[in-house]
Amino acid sequence: MKQAPIRAAAWLLAIPRFLWRIVRRHPVLIAFLVPTLAAVAAATAGALYIAALVPLTPDVADAMKAKSEHPTVVLSADGRQLAVFRRADRRWVKLSDISPQVVAALIATEDHRFFEHKGLDLQRIAAAAWQSFGGNLQG
């Protein structure tokens, strides 16, 4: 009866010696194997993370419901509209209908180099990351 735990302990103690023997005999193989295993582990962890989030994401019906949410309309007894209550009072307008000064002000406050890059300002992203690592959180 006492032999089984002793054998298990001896087997567990033999694992590091076995691994060390492999490392000594094949250092180049290990140099390639360890990063490969790390990449596989990272990819697996990423896949599991995404798989865990999938059930929490809204489906198409929920997204369509959010887009088509109608405001509350208060009507009088004769059917005239008295008031409209919305979460946000948004009206769609064409870009050509917006004043050029408003567009210029938005670009000046949000991204003054808007016309110098093709959508991603890599210089600004790197600067924001550097500032964030230094404790000054930036978006």
Side-chain angles (χ1 to χ4, degrees):
M1 244 0 200
K2 294 183 179 183
Q3 293 290 0
I6 294 172
R7 285 184 188 164
W11 185 78
L12 287 174
L13 291 174
I15 291 174
R17 281 183 268 147
F18 174 74
L19 291 175
W20 177 246
R21 217 176 313 142
I22 292 173
V23 169
R24 273 195 337 226
R25 290 181 185 167
H26 309 287
V28 175
L29 176 66
I30 298 301
F32 290 110
L33 189 61
V34 169
T36 303
L37 290 176
V40 168
T44 304
L48 289 174
Y49 178 72
I50 290 171
L53 290 181
V54 166
L56 303 175
T57 57
D59 59 0
V60 175
D62 292 337
M64 295 303 289
K65 180 182 173 188
K67 285 184 180 179
S68 65
E69 193 172 312
H70 297 291
T72 302
V73 179
V74 179
L75 301 175
S76 65
D78 60 354
R80 289 185 319 167
Q81 180 177 324
L82 297 177
V84 178
F85 297 102
R86 296 184 176 100
R87 284 189 174 190
D89 191 14
R90 296 182 180 152
R91 294 186 182 98
W92 292 98
V93 295
K94 296 178 184 174
L95 186 58
S96 60
D97 294 341
I98 298 174
S99 169
Q101 286 83 7
V102 172
V103 174
L106 180 65
I107 289 173
T109 57
E110 293 295 327
D111 186 3
H112 65 278
R113 291 196 324 259
F114 179 76
F115 296 106
E116 298 172 15
H117 57 79
K118 300 210 186 300
L120 281 178
D121 189 359
L122 298 178
Q123 180 181 353
R124 184 64 197 120
I125 291 171
W130 181 260
Q131 290 290 322
S132 295
F133 285 132
N136 182 17
L137 297 179
Q138 296 185 359

